[in-house]
Amino acid sequence: MKQSKKVIITCAVTGAIHTPSMSPYLPITAQQIADAAVEAADAGAAIVHLHARDPEDGRPVQTAEAFEPILESIKQRSDVVINITTGGSPRMLVDERVRPAAQHKPEVASLNMGTMNFGLFPMLERQTEFKYAWEKEYLEGSRASLFRNTFADIEYILKTCAENDTRFEIECYDTSHLYTLAHFAERGLLKPPFFIQTVFGLLGGISTHPDDVLHMKRTADRLFGDQYRWSVLGAGSKQMAIAAMGAAMGSNVRVGLEDSLWIGPGELAKTNAQQVEKVKSIIGGLSLDVATPDEAREVLALKGADKVGF
Ligand code: KMH
Ligand code: ZN
């Protein structure tokens, strides 16, 4: 990988994995999501990765309209790089998932590199009471559903967003996804520098052992050489351990309540900014510096905040 001198922190502020009953601190409304993103940026995140939720019951929504107030509010208050999910929730299909990024033309959109199992049901062991009926069914349903990202789905997202010069947070949950990236790169549909978000600890993807982290890095190094910028994301309680392992080996890092609700063992994070602060202290402890949004733009070859559609 091409190592940057500065570490890019992405903060994924709400996601579609956790449900409202799991934490009172999970941002739900547009105002809460925008505030969480701005606070994370003020704390040191260069990129915010965004999902939207229904303000009434917190379920994931993926309409361009739902993103609009979030994007406007963040843009008025911060120069942070905005990354719109095309993952939506694992239960949605690609034509719905791509719409917010297609309409709003952000600098970055996420891109998931393979169809996979996406097991959220183990969280039912610790969460038994739910405020909203959809939550239990959503978690339970992950036993028998797929997170669908076929070759055609990926191509559809690439073609839809590339016209807008949107670049991608390329989410790879296993080594096979790196080979799928190599396939699309060979066809010229994805262009370097590739921003590869290696995802550890989701049930259905690679786990969080140091060997897993090394195996993803070695494979990406062999396939892409200095044509990629590496980032790591650890789901759940291993969030900070994965960030520390990755940053020590030259990666960028992602934190946020999408990936983990925790700030320490048994202690819920009260804000996204708290996780940004914590990962910043790990980065500082390694004698590394944190990248600003403009430094991230340069390293990732982004089009610039003046060229988005919102
Ligand atoms: N929650 C992450 C592991 C997306 O938004 O495209 C997956 C994710 C998907 O971030
Ligand atoms: Zn996401």
Side-chain angles (χ1 to χ4, degrees):
M1 125 221 58
K2 177 145 184 211
Q3 195 161 342
S4 322
K5 292 191 190 69
K6 303 227 174 149
V7 180
I8 299 168
I9 301 176
T10 295
C11 187
V13 297
T14 190
I17 288 181
H18 299 115
T19 70
S21 299
M22 295 175 184
S23 169
Y25 308 114
L26 189 68
I28 304 290
T29 66
Q31 186 70 51
Q32 288 167 349
I33 293 169
D35 289 348
V38 172
E39 284 164 27
D42 290 344
I47 304 177
V48 288
H49 167 116
L50 300 175
H51 292 241
R53 291 180 183 267
D54 183 323
E56 299 300 320
D57 63 7
R59 79 176 70 217
V61 288
Q62 191 74 4
T63 59
E65 295 71 34
F67 279 81
E68 212 168 280
I70 302 173
L71 302 174
E72 279 173 8
S73 174
I74 298 171
K75 194 174 175 179
Q76 276 166 17
R77 294 186 280 162
S78 175
D79 72 337
V80 69
V81 175
I82 290 179
N83 170 350
I84 297 181
T85 181
T86 70
S89 96
R91 306 285 278 279
M92 296 169 180
L93 295 179
V94 72
D95 57 331
E96 178 181 9
R97 282 165 34 194
V98 81
R99 275 181 226 146
Q103 176 157 331
H104 295 300
K105 309 178 174 52
E107 290 182 84
V108 183
S110 69
L111 179 68
N112 293 272
M113 292 310 280
T115 300
M116 60 190 288
N117 292 330
F118 208 94
L120 306 180
F121 58 88
M123 290 188 282
L124 286 163
E125 280 165 30
R126 65 176 149 81
Q127 190 70 41
T128 50
E129 304 285 317
F130 293 96
K131 268 193 261 176
Y132 305 108
W134 71 269
E135 298 177 80
K136 190 168 180 198
E137 188 281 324
Y138 184 71
L139 302 173
E140 194 61 60
S142 70
R143 284 180 206 275
S145 55
L146 291 174
F147 184 27
R148 196 188 119 158
N149 297 288
T150 64
F151 289 103
D153 292 341
I154 295 168
E155 194 166 327
Y156 178 65
I157 293 173
L158 284 172
K159 290 193 167 150
T160 310
C161 295
E163 309 176 342
N164 303 326
D165 286 332
T166 293
R167 291 182 60 77
F168 298 98
E169 177 197 13
I170 303 164
E171 306 218 24
C172 295
Y173 303 70
D174 219 322
T175 44
S176 56
H177 297 176
L178 296 169
Y179 285 95
T180 299
L181 162 57
H183 164 81
F184 282 107
E186 207 170 281
R187 288 169 57 192
L189 288 169
L190 269 164
K191 298 205 167 54
F194 309 115
F195 181 36
I196 301 182
Q197 189 69 259
T198 49
V199 180
F200 301 94
L202 265 166
L203 186 59
I206 201 165
S207 193
T208 54
H209 193 279
D211 283 348
D212 296 325
V213 180
L214 258 180
H215 185 46
M216 289 295 275
K217 178 182 187 300
R218 273 194 303 254
T219 308
D221 282 345
R222 176 164 49 77
L223 292 175
F224 309 114
D226 66 0
Q227 302 276 284
Y228 84 103
R229 307 292 178 272
W230 184 32
S231 184
V232 299
L233 163 185
S237 62
K238 291 283 178 23
Q239 181 183 53
M240 293 295 161
I242 291 288
M245 280 185 240
M249 289 190 282
S251 82
N252 302 289
V253 299
R254 175 170 133 174
V255 293
L257 269 57
E258 169 163 350
D259 304 334
S260 167
L261 293 173
W262 309 98
I263 195 66
E267 191 187 344
L268 289 170
K270 292 201 169 62
T271 63
N272 278 271
Q274 230 184 335
Q275 291 184 348
V276 174
E277 293 290 355
K278 186 162 179 176
V279 84
K280 237 174 37 179
S281 73
I282 293 171
I283 292 166
L286 294 168
S287 301
L288 297 168
D289 292 321
V290 169
T292 64
D294 280 343
E295 287 165 342
R297 286 185 173 97
E298 195 182 327
V299 166
L300 302 176
L302 305 182
K303 63 181 175 178
D306 55 332
K307 300 197 179 58
V308 298
F310 52 90

